[in-house]
């Protein structure tokens, strides 16, 4: 177990930055950035504009996903030499669909304290404005990969009852929603775009309605929020029917089908197995 006393007294800061509206940059973030000796950034141009706006003038070190590992030793060396540092991604929280993860791990391995300076992120305002269940949610980040890979990933969340949050680029949004509809069938869908900016908008629709009539001019930065799967209540016949369908149509083994269906209907695997054997 490692607690405060195991770590350096001076922390390395991971600072959240605005996702659009610059007024969301906190006083604390500005104070911290003014107090450090160097700032690691995902992109010197993007962060340069932000830092200039707030008249923060510090040496910048470019650390992005392609050079992150090689820059870590250099950063740790500086910190061990007594310098103070911070990390910014282009927008929102570092590490949330952004670089920074290898750096946090390396800092912790070297017993350098990590401190996170709160600020904006697209995830929570998208969820909160969606009107969907906020009591439990699953964040999937970007659904990267080809159609087959994305479909396989979505299949894993098909029976997840938590609200799902997905980041997506505007040029892929319609394709992605159609794919989600093909796996999840009908559910509530909310598209949150341009949060904190001039054209901020929440679009309240459903997977079917949107797939039937996709918007062709959806621009800007987008978060997709999808209602979680509903726990099904059903008769014994329907439950067994589902088991049989998974076996016949999807090639599941009896054991796999029983596990999945028991999970969906929140019933005992043993009882379902016994009922399955009886019908054989
Ligand atoms: N680190 C960021 C965060 O904490 O939210 C996320 C960075 S990720 C590279 C960029 C994605 O976040 C965009 O493609 C979009 O899905 C979402 N995003 C960022 N800013 C947004 C905004 N103002 N409105 C809606 N979505 C946004």
């Amino acid at each position: 177990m490692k607690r405060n006393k195991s770590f350096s007294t001076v922390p390395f800061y991971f600072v959240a930055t605005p996702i659009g509206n610059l007024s969301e940059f906190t006083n604390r973030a500005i104070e911290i950035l003014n107090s450090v000796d160097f700032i690691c950034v995902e992109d010197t141009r993007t962060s340069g504009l932000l830092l200039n706006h707030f008249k923060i003038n510090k040496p910048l070190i470019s650390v992005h996903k392609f050079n992150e590992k090689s820059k870590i030793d250099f950063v740790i060396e500086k910190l061990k030499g007594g310098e103070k540092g911070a990390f910014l991604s282009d927008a929102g929280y570092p590490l949330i669909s952004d670089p920074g993860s290898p750096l946090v791990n390396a800092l912790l391995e070297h017993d350098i304290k990590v401190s996170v300076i709160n600020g904006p992120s697209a995830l929570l305002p998208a969820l909160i404005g969606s009107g969907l269940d906020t009591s439990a949610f699953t964040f999937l980040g970007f659904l990267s990969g080809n159609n087959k890979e994305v479909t396989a990933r979505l299949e894993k969340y098909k029976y997840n009852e938590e609200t799902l949050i997905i980041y997506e680029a505007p040029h892929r949004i319609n394709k992605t929603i159609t794919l989600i509809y093909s796996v999840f069938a009908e559910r509530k869908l909310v598209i949150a775009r341009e949060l904190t900016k001039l054209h901020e908008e929440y679009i309240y629709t459903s997977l079917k309605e949107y797939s039937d009539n996709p918007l062709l001019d959806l621009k800007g930065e987008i978060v997709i929020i999808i209602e979680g799967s509903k726990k099904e209540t059903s008769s014994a016949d329907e439950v067994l029917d589902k088991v049989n369908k998974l076996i016949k149509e999807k090639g599941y083994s009896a054991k796999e089908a029983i596990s999945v269906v028991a999970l969906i209907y929140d019933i005992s695997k043993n009882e379902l197995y016994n009922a399955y054997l009886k019908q054989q």
Side-chain angles (χ1 to χ4, degrees), residues 141-143 147 150 154 165-182 189-194 201 203 205-207 210-226:
F142 288 98
L143 293 174
N147 280 2
V150 172
L154 288 170
I165 307 171
I166 296 169
Y167 283 172
E168 191 48 288
H171 65 278
R172 284 196 308 250
I173 180 91
N174 291 347
K175 202 177 121 200
T176 300
I177 291 176
T178 309
L179 208 56
I180 297 173
Y181 177 48
S182 73
L189 162 72
V190 180
I191 299 170
R193 57 181 283 271
E194 294 291 87
E201 181 181 25
I203 302 168
T205 176
S206 76
L207 287 172
Y210 191 87
S211 302
D212 288 348
N213 291 295
L215 297 171
L216 299 176
D217 58 348
L218 217 46
K219 293 198 186 85
E221 298 199 271
I222 292 172
V223 184
I224 305 171
I225 312 99
I226 304 160

Side-chain angles (χ1 to χ4, degrees), residues 19 89 91-93 96-98 121-123 142 167-168 192-195 197 221-223:
I19 58 164
S89 64
Y93 279 78
I96 300 300
S97 293
D98 265 345
S121 181
L123 179 67
F142 288 98
Y167 283 172
E168 191 48 288
R193 57 181 283 271
E194 294 291 87
L195 296 171
K197 302 186 206 175
E221 298 199 271
I222 292 172
V223 184

Side-chain angles (χ1 to χ4, degrees), residues 50-274:
L50 176 77
L51 296 170
N52 272 344
H53 180 89
F54 289 96
K55 302 192 169 41
I56 301 166
N57 189 12
K58 298 284 170 175
L60 301 185
I61 300 174
S62 154
V63 180
H64 45 74
K65 65 179 173 193
F66 301 107
N67 73 358
E68 197 171 6
K69 291 208 168 94
S70 65
K71 282 287 169 80
I72 286 174
D73 290 347
F74 178 63
V75 170
I76 294 205
E77 208 54 21
K78 278 169 121 23
L79 298 172
K80 293 228 155 145
E83 290 189 53
K84 291 187 231 155
F87 180 86
L88 311 178
S89 64
D90 282 356
Y93 279 78
L95 282 88
I96 300 300
S97 293
D98 265 345
S101 180
L103 183 57
V104 171
N105 288 308
L107 293 168
L108 296 177
E109 259 170 43
H110 284 85
D111 296 335
I112 296 166
K113 187 172 170 169
V114 163
S115 185
V116 180
I117 307 303
N118 277 316
S121 181
L123 179 67
L124 289 179
L127 172 68
I128 291 162
S130 73
L132 298 178
D133 183 13
T134 55
S135 61
F137 56 90
T138 302
F139 172 59
L140 299 185
F142 288 98
L143 293 174
S144 50
N146 58 31
N147 280 2
K148 209 173 150 200
E149 288 161 342
V150 172
T151 305
R153 182 140 189 244
L154 288 170
E155 284 283 353
K156 284 196 203 157
Y157 295 97
K158 193 170 172 176
Y159 302 112
N160 183 336
E161 287 163 38
E162 299 177 359
T163 304
L164 284 177
I165 307 171
I166 296 169
Y167 283 172
E168 191 48 288
H171 65 278
R172 284 196 308 250
I173 180 91
N174 291 347
K175 202 177 121 200
T176 300
I177 291 176
T178 309
L179 208 56
I180 297 173
Y181 177 48
S182 73
V183 178
F184 287 4
E186 179 61 330
R187 302 232 189 134
K188 283 185 189 162
L189 162 72
V190 180
I191 299 170
R193 57 181 283 271
E194 294 291 87
L195 296 171
T196 79
K197 302 186 206 175
L198 187 62
H199 298 291
E200 174 175 298
E201 181 181 25
Y202 290 87
I203 302 168
Y204 301 91
T205 176
S206 76
L207 287 172
K208 177 170 170 25
E209 183 185 47
Y210 191 87
S211 302
D212 288 348
N213 291 295
L215 297 171
L216 299 176
D217 58 348
L218 217 46
K219 293 198 186 85
E221 298 199 271
I222 292 172
V223 184
I224 305 171
I225 312 99
I226 304 160
E227 181 183 31
S229 162
K230 290 207 172 69
K231 227 181 204 128
E232 297 184 36
T233 49
S234 215
S235 70
D237 282 350
E238 275 177 70
V239 174
L240 280 173
D241 193 44
K242 199 131 199 161
V243 172
N244 293 327
K245 269 197 177 137
L246 285 179
I247 296 169
K248 280 195 195 109
E249 292 170 17
K250 302 265 178 188
Y252 283 51
S253 67
K255 201 174 157 207
E256 285 166 343
I258 286 165
S259 294
V260 171
V261 174
L263 201 69
I264 302 169
Y265 291 95
D266 199 18
I267 52 179
S268 140
K269 257 197 261 180
N270 282 345
E271 278 175 30
L272 183 55
Y273 186 65
N274 289 337

